[in-house]
Amino acid sequence: MQYREYGRTGKKISVIAFGGMRFQPDGDKFDFDKCAAVVRKASGLGVNYFDTSPYYCGSQSEVIFGQAFKDMPKPFYVSTKSYESDPLKLRADLETSLKRMGLQKINFYNIWGIKSMEGYRNVMRKGGPYEEILKAKKEGLVEHVAFSTHCSGEEIAQIAKDGVFEGVTLGYNILNFPFREKGVRAAHAAGMGVMIMNPLSGGILPKKAELFDYIKNPDDKTVTEAALRFLLAHKEITGALCGMGSVEEVVENVKAGDIVKDFPESKRAEIKARLSLDMDKLCTGCQYCDGCPAGIEVARNMLAYNYTILERRERYFDVMRMHWGLPADQADKCTECGQCEKKCTQQLDIINRLKNISKWGKERK
Ligand code: SF4
Ligand code: SF4
């Protein structure tokens, strides 16, 4: 397993980190011993960063980790989070997390899910969540303060410039890298740790492996291996959070952390082009369409629309709400002026897509 410095914290993190959102229940309950064994297996194989939240796996993820942490084979770091805007509720989340996991402190505490610059300003307001976490840090309950986000690369770069966080957890993968690459580089340049969530695009890459075979280099055995190689080849990335629900998944993921290899620049360019040639229906997140006069966030709508092509319609609504806190009825405002379509690098039929979204939104009501 390779390890990298998490920003300026002095801590070294395994490049394959454990995402605690994929524990599998047996029937309608979790077998805590079985799930804890998965965590311990990862620790034994060198994974030392374990990420969870108060709500993953029906609020059982932290409980499972608590069980595992009683007897871990190797030293480890814990990351959890809260999205509470009310500082008292955030403090309550922190105390619950500590209790559930049997810990004296959280190594990395993430302000969860900053969705926009307005959301960031709300976190930083006087008497707000950020101040509350700093208080907990002074008390020794939290070691390092980070944030998790689905903001654009430009927005992440702006937040990084303020220098208030020690790390960022962001969604980044081979299907959306143009949308957030700037943020990855800016956060690293600002001395922050950079943890990646959704490294396999929410499971789309392994599930639709036949569509993405071309991302493989000649020496990559699987699409998953190629996607992780792509991420870990970035020197700016500290680690990738891989959801692991079984010992088999742990063994598979850990292999990628043993053999970090360069990702050839020519292959990267080929993928960028092929994303549009083979998958000419996919938005790449390049943001050339910015500036809609009706105020529609076209790139975000089209990125969310990708999921309807690759998975199912309902995922559009999930992604808009959970990643960005955006209402789905933005699409209703399109005046069909055509400005975005003229600028779109992939020549997507944006207006039609917005019409579809608008129709689906009405059908759901
Ligand atoms: S066509 Fe619609 S989405 Fe595109 S710029 Fe015009 S109003 Fe905005
Ligand atoms: S220009 Fe086209 S491909 Fe690029 S973000 Fe906008 S909709 Fe997506």
Side-chain angles (χ1 to χ4, degrees):
M1 176 65 69
Q2 294 201 12
Y3 297 85
R4 292 183 183 165
E5 300 275 350
Y6 185 106
R8 298 190 182 119
T9 63
K11 292 188 168 59
K12 283 196 151 190
I13 303 298
S14 52
V15 291
I16 297 296
F18 195 109
M21 74 299 278
R22 294 267 166 84
F23 294 116
Q24 297 302 320
D26 280 340
D28 56 358
K29 282 197 191 134
F30 287 95
D31 178 332
F32 290 103
D33 288 334
K34 197 167 144 195
C35 293
V38 176
V39 177
R40 290 193 191 113
K41 178 74 181 179
S43 170
L45 291 176
V47 173
N48 73 350
Y49 186 101
F50 296 86
D51 178 79
T52 180
S53 90
Y55 305 111
Y56 289 164
C57 304
S59 300
Q60 299 304 297
S61 176
E62 289 185 337
V63 183
I64 292 166
F65 278 118
Q67 174 92 345
F69 293 163
K70 287 179 193 161
D71 181 24
M72 289 284 267
K74 293 187 181 164
F76 60 93
Y77 299 119
V78 178
S79 153
T80 191
K81 39 190 97 76
S82 172
Y83 56 63
E84 290 296 350
S85 175
D86 177 337
L88 292 178
K89 288 188 182 159
L90 183 138
R91 175 70 182 213
D93 267 1
L94 168 61
E95 289 177 4
T96 304
S97 296
L98 288 167
K99 198 165 154 204
R100 279 178 175 165
M101 292 193 276
L103 298 170
Q104 299 300 313
K105 67 179 176 197
I106 303 292
N107 307 104
F108 299 93
Y109 203 83
N110 284 266
I111 303 268
W112 191 1
I114 294 183
K115 294 178 164 75
S116 61
M117 292 312 285
E118 192 189 337
Y120 170 57
R121 284 187 284 277
N122 183 47
V123 162
M124 301 306 295
R125 74 184 192 271
K126 198 162 170 42
Y130 182 76
E131 281 188 9
E132 189 63 30
I133 279 300
L134 285 192
K135 260 193 252 166
K137 188 176 174 182
K138 276 197 192 118
E139 291 171 56
L141 302 177
V142 164
E143 264 195 286
H144 306 292
V145 182
F147 71 107
S148 78
T149 186
H150 290 284
C151 280
S152 67
E154 179 60 42
E155 289 165 331
I156 294 166
Q158 281 181 48
I159 297 172
K161 214 160 101 191
D162 287 352
V164 294
F165 290 106
E166 293 166 272
V168 59
T169 306
L170 52 85
Y172 187 70
N173 56 60
I174 208 159
L175 295 188
N176 73 7
F177 70 95
F179 184 64
R180 230 163 256 140
E181 190 168 20
K182 185 174 178 183
V184 168
R185 299 196 192 286
H188 175 76
M192 294 165 68
V194 180
M195 299 302 291
I196 299 304
M197 55 184 164
N198 293 331
L200 302 176
S201 193
I204 284 178
L205 286 161
K207 268 192 263 166
K208 303 274 177 187
E210 70 283 2
L211 294 179
F212 298 105
D213 200 57
Y214 65 86
I215 71 169
K216 283 162 42 189
N217 293 283
D219 53 342
D220 295 328
K221 289 190 195 68
T222 62
V223 163
T224 299
E225 191 179 317
L228 291 175
R229 173 178 176 175
F230 168 82
L231 290 175
L232 299 181
H234 289 64
K235 68 176 182 354
E236 298 88 353
I237 288 175
T238 313
L241 288 166
C242 300
M244 306 192 214
S246 65
V247 165
E248 293 71 33
E249 278 175 1
V250 169
V251 172
E252 188 58 37
N253 286 322
V254 162
K255 274 189 212 155
D258 289 337
I259 41 155
V260 178
K261 290 187 254 182
D262 283 348
F263 200 91
E265 198 46 52
S266 54
K267 186 71 182 169
R268 186 185 160 86
E270 182 196 325
I271 288 166
K272 210 168 171 178
R274 294 275 302 259
L275 266 177
S276 50
L277 279 177
D278 283 6
M279 305 296 299
D280 64 350
K281 293 184 170 58
L282 283 187
C283 165
T284 62
C286 64
Q287 291 179 282
Y288 279 84
C289 54
D290 271 359
C292 162
I296 298 171
E297 298 196 45
V298 179
R300 283 178 167 149
N301 271 276
M302 293 302 109
L303 281 170
Y305 198 94
N306 282 350
Y307 289 86
T308 72
I309 297 166
L310 296 166
E311 284 196 83
R312 57 185 198 283
R313 179 191 295 185
E314 200 55 26
R315 288 282 285 136
Y316 164 84
F317 297 96
D318 292 346
V319 171
M320 286 293 278
R321 180 173 49 84
M322 286 162 27
H323 288 193
W324 299 307
L326 289 177
D329 62 4
Q330 269 204 352
D332 302 346
K333 293 190 219 148
C334 177
T335 60
E336 303 184 26
C337 72
Q339 177 183 301
C340 57
E341 287 197 354
K342 274 193 212 116
K343 294 198 259 177
C344 179
T345 53
Q346 310 310 313
Q347 296 169 340
L348 300 182
D349 56 338
I350 297 170
I351 296 173
N352 262 334
R353 289 177 184 208
L354 291 171
K355 275 188 195 162
N356 286 341
I357 293 166
S358 195
K359 184 167 144 263
W360 300 335
K362 285 176 187 124
E363 285 168 7
R364 288 169 94 237
K365 280 181 188 156

